[in-house]
Amino acid sequence: MTESPQRRWSAACPNCGAPVEFASSASASAICSFCRSTLLREGEALRRIGQSAELFADHSPLQLQARGRHAGADFTLVGRLQLRYEGGVWNEWHALFDAAPEASQAMPPPQGGVAGSGRPSASYGGKSGWLSEDNGAYVFAFDAPLNEAAPASHTLVVGAQAPLAGQAWRVASLTLVTLGAAEGELPRPPRQDAGEFLLADLRNAQDEVATLDYSTEPPQWSVGRAVRLADLAMSGLRDDSECTLASRAMACPSCGAALEPKLGTTKSIVCGQCHAVVDISGGAGADLEHYAQANGLEPQIPLGTNGALALQAGGKPLPWQVVGYQERCDLPAPGDDDEQTFWREYLLYNRMEGFAFLVDTEEGWSLVRPLTGAPKPAGGSDVEWQGRRFKQRWQYAAKTTYVLGEFYWRVQREDRVQVGDYQTSAELLSSERSGQEITWSLGRKLDAAEVAKGFRLAPERGAALARDAGSLGGGGGLVRTLIIVAVVILVLILLLRACSKDECASYKNAYGEASAEYQQCRRNSSGSGVRPGYTGGSWGGSGSSGGGHK
């Protein structure tokens, strides 16, 4: 990676005297790293216009002066904005691309900018962009001209179409945010007294995400795409050894046991002793909201287990660690005779890839991740994504009934979402709407054997993964056929035995005596038996209430 050819300009902080350096002639502001004064460039002088709040210790792998390469051009992270919302914080890193050598000869003073959140309004010999970071996912975005009037903020509706700049967008989220803190070099001075403002995120079928920033008038328009940290060839990242979370250790407000989150992005954690769900989005020292929960099942893949799964069929397996587990169920509409269905989701984490969901249902296993974009309507209730038509299968309400581990969103009691499930022969597509946000996820079906192999499970534990109908009934040959016949014979024998009155024996044998399916059957049984039903929850995994601002 080449050295940046730009000339650097520096001056003494007027508040503490420490050196403050600028890499771009277009940068209008910087935050003194010693006294945190917000400094405005006026020609070759600096003027103090305020003070930035302290940054929230989120232990991001990114840091100032880290370098990378995007779209064939080298860049350096020179500044950061930390935005706060009800569910926590996220970072937007000011990326300065290397200018052409001749562009570095002239250093005109900045022309100033519109006060607000601090998004770039000017470029120099290269260009200036934002690497946005939210819950382990990344988007590279750049300001774009909007040659039409932006819609009034009150007219935007989550999930509705919003045609702008010649594209068909859908509103993905409406989030009220405040500027929490800033550091480094910024294209215009951040205003921490601007108060709360709206950020509207829009997605399209080209896998793009756009933002309308209503902190300025007119609103600032930017467009970006998701990027993989591994593809940015980053150097100078924060070392793992520096990302200690000891400062976040705290006592459970329910039982006093130690809570020690392993991830800097964690906003909710479950106490390992009393299983209370604790909101730690406010950090150590805050009043920790929590709630108790009834016991659920033990995860078939224990928390902390490391494994390897490919995001795409035939792809290279990537390393994952199980950091969270949740049990969910659908909520049949009043008068609906379908039986309630339960499923399980494992939250997986990879430092370079972010998060994914491994979903275990009656119909089998799947691995899904949130999309950057949003599918487009394809006639009727179907949708189209990247040239593939997905048929709608289910629309239903769902809730979370039990959680363990850590989560990058604030887990609340009986979190509820509206879910839509779509599929092709091999792929799964799901939408989840919670409050003012809708998230789309794409995934693939997995065989239980692939899951067992990926997480190197012991034979007896791996065999338990194949208990679901999906992994048994997929045309797997003679062995599977024999297993099906054996199960059917066993169920018939149990039903015919006069000494046995357990009408849920098929659930017990297929899922285990401690399973939610068997216990639900026992509760509902009234002498006529309960038919195995299915009303949804086939893949889930959008990260309900998980935030999706980028």
Side-chain angles (χ1 to χ4, degrees):
M1 194 173 293
T2 60
E3 289 294 323
S4 173
Q6 302 107 296
R7 291 181 178 178
R8 306 185 76 88
W9 178 85
S10 64
C13 172
N15 186 57
C16 71
V20 179
E21 194 172 70
F22 288 82
S24 170
S25 61
S27 295
S29 178
I31 310 298
C32 176
S33 60
F34 289 86
C35 68
R36 303 204 57 76
S37 291
T38 301
L39 307 175
L40 178 67
R41 272 189 64 186
E42 295 179 329
E44 296 187 355
L46 294 178
R47 178 165 62 91
R48 185 177 187 269
I49 59 173
Q51 186 168 12
S52 175
E54 290 292 329
L55 290 157
F56 181 84
D58 56 9
H59 309 282
S60 167
L62 303 179
Q63 62 180 345
L64 295 185
Q65 301 309 311
R67 288 181 59 78
R69 188 172 181 82
H70 177 61
D74 296 336
F75 66 88
T76 304
L77 301 182
V78 297
R80 169 166 64 156
L81 296 173
Q82 198 170 69
L83 301 175
R84 299 179 183 270
Y85 69 112
E86 183 182 13
V89 301
W90 83 86
N91 294 312
E92 297 202 1
W93 296 87
H94 180 210
L96 190 63
F97 285 80
D98 291 354
E102 60 272 15
S104 65
Q105 303 303 314
M107 294 291 288
Q111 300 301 310
V114 181
S117 68
R119 288 182 175 273
S121 58
S123 60
Y124 52 101
K127 59 181 176 180
S128 181
W130 291 95
L131 180 57
S132 299
E133 176 186 20
D134 185 22
N135 303 323
Y138 299 87
V139 165
F140 232 127
F142 301 91
D143 280 352
L146 189 60
N147 299 320
E148 57 191 283
S153 59
H154 69 271
T155 65
L156 297 176
V157 178
V158 172
Q161 291 188 354
L164 278 172
Q167 293 275 4
W169 301 90
R170 283 192 176 274
V171 181
S173 68
L174 299 172
T175 309
L176 291 174
V177 304
T178 57
L179 176 60
E183 67 173 339
E185 182 177 341
L186 298 168
R188 59 177 180 259
R191 274 189 50 193
Q192 292 190 279
D193 61 349
E196 198 171 54
F197 58 94
L198 180 72
L199 284 184
D201 275 359
L202 302 93
R203 315 289 172 114
N204 66 17
Q206 286 69 50
D207 206 17
E208 294 177 319
V209 56
T211 300
L212 280 170
D213 179 348
Y214 284 90
S215 68
T216 66
E217 183 56 49
Q220 182 66 53
W221 172 253
S222 61
V223 179
R225 285 181 175 272
V227 293
R228 296 175 64 244
L229 204 58
D231 293 339
L232 295 178
M234 298 291 295
S235 62
L237 294 177
R238 191 184 303 274
D239 185 71
D240 277 333
S241 62
E242 298 178 37
C243 297
T244 174
L245 294 176
S247 61
R248 294 190 76 192
M250 58 201 77
C252 172
S254 178
C255 70
L259 301 175
E260 298 179 350
K262 302 297 188 298
L263 301 178
T265 53
T266 296
K267 295 182 176 68
S268 290
I269 187 170
V270 180
C271 176
Q273 180 167 299
C274 70
H275 289 181
V277 182
V278 186
D279 176 7
I280 61 171
S281 59
D287 291 332
L288 303 181
E289 296 182 6
H290 67 286
Y291 69 87
Q293 59 176 348
N295 289 332
L297 300 178
E298 282 300 311
Q300 294 195 82
I301 308 174
L303 294 178
T305 301
N306 292 295
L309 291 173
L311 291 173
Q312 297 178 340
K316 180 182 178 181
L318 300 172
W320 301 97
Q321 183 180 43
V322 179
V323 296
Y325 166 80
Q326 61 177 337
E327 295 175 8
R328 306 175 75 188
C329 68
D330 69 313
L331 300 172
D336 192 337
D337 294 333
D338 285 334
E339 183 189 342
Q340 192 171 35
T341 302
F342 295 82
W343 69 97
R344 306 156 182 82
E345 297 181 4
Y346 298 83
L347 179 61
L348 308 182
Y349 176 72
N350 175 292
R351 184 170 182 263
M352 301 299 287
E353 298 290 340
F355 294 94
F357 293 86
L358 180 62
V359 187
D360 172 19
T361 78
E362 290 181 355
E363 297 202 333
W365 292 79
S366 58
L367 181 65
V368 298
R369 296 194 72 198
L371 292 175
T372 300
K376 63 181 181 181
S381 56
D382 297 347
V383 296
E384 181 180 315
W385 175 249
Q386 295 185 343
R388 304 185 300 279
R389 185 177 183 127
F390 289 77
K391 291 189 173 296
Q392 185 188 80
R393 190 174 183 194
W394 309 106
Q395 289 281 349
Y396 55 95
K399 73 174 182 178
T400 298
T401 59
Y402 182 66
V403 295
L404 289 174
E406 302 181 32
F407 300 88
Y408 63 80
W409 66 90
R410 293 173 65 186
V411 176
Q412 297 177 315
R413 188 189 297 272
E414 294 194 337
D415 276 340
R416 299 187 179 216
V417 294
Q418 287 296 129
V419 183
D421 285 339
Y422 307 78
Q423 72 173 30
T424 65
S425 59
E427 291 183 297
L428 313 167
L429 192 63
S430 178
S431 68
E432 288 197 7
R433 176 167 180 167
S434 175
Q436 290 291 83
E437 183 173 12
I438 184 169
T439 306
W440 286 89
S441 296
L442 179 69
R444 69 180 182 95
K445 300 174 183 178
L446 297 173
D447 189 84
E450 183 179 352
V451 178
K453 179 181 177 181
F455 285 93
R456 299 184 298 276
L457 300 180
E460 64 274 10
R461 188 178 292 274
L465 300 183
R467 56 169 174 64
D468 54 80
S471 61
L472 290 173
L478 178 60
V479 173
R480 289 186 177 181
T481 302
L482 292 175
I483 293 174
I484 293 173
V485 172
V487 170
V488 171
I489 293 174
L490 180 60
V491 170
L492 290 174
I493 292 173
L494 290 173
L495 292 175
L496 292 173
R497 287 179 59 183
C499 60
S500 174
K501 298 300 184 182
D502 187 355
E503 296 170 344
C504 298
S506 59
Y507 283 92
K508 179 179 178 181
N509 285 295
Y511 300 103
E513 188 171 0
S515 69
E517 290 85 353
Y518 177 66
Q519 297 299 329
Q520 177 73 14
C521 178
R522 294 277 295 186
R523 287 192 294 269
N524 291 343
S525 180
S526 60
S528 58
V530 181
R531 67 174 180 87
Y534 178 79
T535 59
S538 58
W539 32 94
S542 297
S544 51
S545 304
H549 314 287
K550 287 296 174 190

